[in-house]
């Protein structure tokens, strides 16, 4: 009733529909096929489903058919469009999917973006009407999209983390790099993480030590020593990202790494490596002989 535009009359204990149009929307919702009840405005008695509902069903079917052998056959914008079905009910999601990819550069960039930045998408936030109900609908779509995409990002991070839990990190290097790529490759600002390891090189904790700007983040060796002792760590792996996409270490990166190595040596904590993550590649200080 509420979705059809009805108003609850508390005194009379009844719903009131104030126009024939609202009554028509309610009638259409009652006649709508299963699964369309959440969006009665998208269904009309005269025309059935709006055009994008037929498109949605075709895209869902194509994705299901591709799953056994080639789910990657769907381009990124169609996969994102498919996800947005669950947060944007009453509109075609293809324009929003393409716009988000244009703004953030890639699917990973979309998922890693700060939630507020999804508001940069005109397709998500700018209604084509000044109607108050339409504005409220757009605001709800944006909020649901923020929740959906950030939840998907967190699921991806946790799945990647599972691949390095309860096993020696040094012997699972490719899984570690996959995890770090998921966490850091598309981060909009620089952050410094430390992976604390036990004597068997199994991960104790992955912690963000500091966050910075697009090209700088501070790290204090004494704080690293303090935290390593608190966790009874035997070794660490230092990690930070370069949002520019180029993981080439700066001289400041090299100097800071050597300071941390020197600070940890007296307490018998080993620095296994320092990894710099870019968008599509990474640099290992150990493999480059930088410390």
């Amino acid at each position: 009733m509420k979705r059809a535009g009805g108003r609850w009359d508390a005194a009379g204990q009844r719903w009131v529909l104030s126009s024939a149009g609202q009554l028509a929307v309610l009638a259409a919702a009652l006649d709508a096929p299963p699964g369309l009840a959440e969006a009665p405005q998208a269904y009309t008695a005269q025309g059935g489903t709006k055009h994008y509902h037929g498109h949605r069903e075709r895209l869902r079917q194509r994705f299901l058919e591709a799953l056994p052998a080639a789910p990657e056959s769907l381009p990124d914008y169609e996969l994102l469009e498919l996800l947005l079905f669950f947060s944007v009910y009453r509109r075609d999601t293809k324009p929003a999917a393409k716009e988000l990819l244009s703004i953030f550069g890639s699917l990973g960039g979309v998922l890693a973006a700060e939630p507020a930045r999804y508001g940069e998408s005109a397709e998500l936030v700018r209604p084509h009407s000044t109607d108050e109900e339409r504005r409220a609908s757009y605001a709800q779509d944006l909020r649901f999209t923020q929740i959906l995409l950030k939840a998907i990002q967190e699921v991806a991070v946790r799945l990647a983390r599972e691949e390095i839990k309860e096993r020696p990190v040094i012997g699972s290097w490719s899984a570690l790099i996959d995890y770090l790529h998921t966490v850091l490759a598309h981060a909009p600002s620089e952050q410094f993480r430390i992976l604390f390891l036990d004597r068997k090189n199994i991960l104790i904790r992955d912690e963000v030590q500091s966050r910075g700007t697009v090209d700088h983040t501070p790290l204090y060796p004494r704080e690293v020593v303090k935290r390593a002792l608190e966790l009874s760590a035997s070794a660490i792996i230092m990690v930070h990202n370069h949002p520019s996409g180029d993981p080439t270490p700066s001289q400041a990166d090299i100097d800071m790494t050597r300071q941390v190595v020197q600070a940890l040596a007296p307490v018998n904590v080993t620095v296994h490596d320092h990894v710099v993550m870019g968008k599509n590649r990474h640099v290992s200080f150990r493999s480059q002989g930088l410390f």
Side-chain angles (χ1 to χ4, degrees), residues 104 106 181 184-187 242-247 277-281:
F104 299 111
S106 67
H181 185 274
L184 287 173
H186 299 283
H242 283 176
S244 67
D246 180 4
M277 300 300 301
K279 281 192 168 57
N280 298 306
R281 61 191 182 93

Side-chain angles (χ1 to χ4, degrees), residues 159-165 167-169 171-182:
L159 288 174
R161 188 184 298 137
E162 284 182 2
E163 296 299 314
I164 61 172
K165 287 176 65 177
R167 66 180 68 181
V169 170
S172 309
W173 194 253
S174 62
L176 174 64
I177 295 302
D178 287 344
Y179 168 66
L180 296 177
H181 185 274
T182 301

Side-chain angles (χ1 to χ4, degrees), residues 195-208:
L195 280 61
F196 296 93
L197 312 177
D198 68 12
R199 59 186 180 82
K200 294 182 179 179
N201 290 321
I202 293 174
L203 183 66
I204 300 172
R205 196 76 60 85
D206 168 21
E207 293 185 345
V208 177

Side-chain angles (χ1 to χ4, degrees), residues 50 91 127-139:
K50 284 190 174 180
R91 288 178 283 142
H128 304 296
S129 167
T130 58
D131 179 76
E132 184 177 344
E133 184 177 349
R134 180 67 63 86
R135 290 200 302 271
S137 173
Y138 272 71

Side-chain angles (χ1 to χ4, degrees), residues 6-53:
R7 175 179 58 82
W8 176 247
D9 178 6
Q13 292 293 293
R14 61 183 180 176
W15 284 95
V16 177
L17 295 172
S18 59
S19 69
Q22 291 176 346
L23 186 60
V25 170
L26 176 61
L30 293 174
D31 289 338
L36 289 180
E38 77 279 2
Q41 292 89 337
Y43 188 84
T44 63
Q46 294 77 18
T49 58
K50 284 190 174 180
H51 73 91
Y52 54 80
H53 281 286

Side-chain angles (χ1 to χ4, degrees), residues 32-250:
L36 289 180
E38 77 279 2
Q41 292 89 337
Y43 188 84
T44 63
Q46 294 77 18
T49 58
K50 284 190 174 180
H51 73 91
Y52 54 80
H53 281 286
H55 170 68
R56 287 186 176 200
E57 184 53 37
R58 290 191 295 273
L59 183 54
R60 289 188 187 104
Q61 189 59 37
R62 281 202 296 115
F63 179 69
L64 288 174
E65 291 172 353
L67 275 180
E72 68 279 2
S73 62
L74 260 70
D76 286 354
Y77 81 87
E78 286 192 334
L79 187 58
L80 183 56
E81 180 186 357
L82 186 65
L83 292 174
L84 291 177
F85 290 173
F86 298 95
S87 62
V88 179
Y89 299 134
R90 302 183 177 108
R91 288 178 283 142
D92 183 0
T93 59
K94 182 185 291 185
K98 288 187 172 181
E99 187 179 34
L100 286 170
L101 287 169
S102 176
I103 292 170
F104 299 111
S106 67
L107 194 55
V110 172
L111 294 179
E114 293 295 328
R117 291 203 62 197
Y118 297 139
E120 295 177 18
S121 167
E123 291 292 338
L124 282 177
V125 303
R126 189 177 302 154
H128 304 296
S129 167
T130 58
D131 179 76
E132 184 177 344
E133 184 177 349
R134 180 67 63 86
R135 290 200 302 271
S137 173
Y138 272 71
Q140 176 179 275
D141 289 349
L142 176 60
R143 179 171 179 269
F144 285 176
T145 297
Q146 291 169 330
I147 294 169
L148 173 73
L149 296 182
K150 300 315 294 183
I152 291 170
Q153 184 198 24
E154 181 60 22
V155 167
V157 168
R158 294 188 186 193
L159 288 174
R161 188 184 298 137
E162 284 182 2
E163 296 299 314
I164 61 172
K165 287 176 65 177
E166 308 300 331
R167 66 180 68 181
V169 170
I170 301 302
S172 309
W173 194 253
S174 62
L176 174 64
I177 295 302
D178 287 344
Y179 168 66
L180 296 177
H181 185 274
T182 301
V183 174
L184 287 173
H186 299 283
S189 60
E190 193 166 306
Q191 61 176 265
F192 211 109
R193 306 177 79 96
I194 294 185
L195 280 61
F196 296 93
L197 312 177
D198 68 12
R199 59 186 180 82
K200 294 182 179 179
N201 290 321
I202 293 174
L203 183 66
I204 300 172
R205 196 76 60 85
D206 168 21
E207 293 185 345
V208 177
Q209 297 299 299
S210 60
R211 299 180 188 272
T213 62
V214 295
D215 60 1
H216 175 70
T217 184
L219 185 73
Y220 303 103
R222 63 184 178 185
E223 294 299 323
V224 177
V225 173
K226 177 183 176 182
R227 190 59 177 146
L229 293 175
E230 289 173 347
L231 295 172
S232 299
S234 295
I236 68 167
I237 295 175
M238 303 163 64
V239 187
H240 80 280
N241 63 308
H242 283 176
S244 67
D246 180 4
T248 304
S250 66

